Amino acid sequence: MLLKGILVCLLVFIIFNLFRALPVLIKGQSDVPMSRYLGRRVLFSVLVFVILLIALATGAIEPNSRPY
């Protein structure tokens, strides 16, 4: 259950960074470059993917055996 909570928090943080980049995209110039927020989003997306792969390999989570 802790693993699922961590993954949900990371996904919320990814969406938060995406919305933080939106005003920079709309307004144009800003103190903070848009690539900082988008880079964080990509970094945490990769982290979520790696955590999912490790959890599947160790058996902490199981994939759905019947997709329908």
Side-chain angles (χ1 to χ4, degrees), residues 2-47:
L2 178 65
L3 179 68
K4 292 178 184 178
I6 291 171
L7 288 173
V8 167
C9 289
L10 284 172
L11 290 174
V12 167
F13 190 69
I14 289 168
I15 293 171
F16 174 73
N17 277 311
L18 186 63
F19 280 110
R20 288 285 307 250
L22 184 64
V24 178
L25 177 69
I26 292 172
K27 292 179 184 175
Q29 294 293 334
S30 178
D31 299 349
V32 181
M34 183 174 54
S35 61
R36 176 182 291 175
Y37 300 119
L38 295 179
R40 284 182 189 168
R41 186 180 76 103
V42 170
L43 175 72
F44 285 107
S45 297
V46 169
L47 184 64

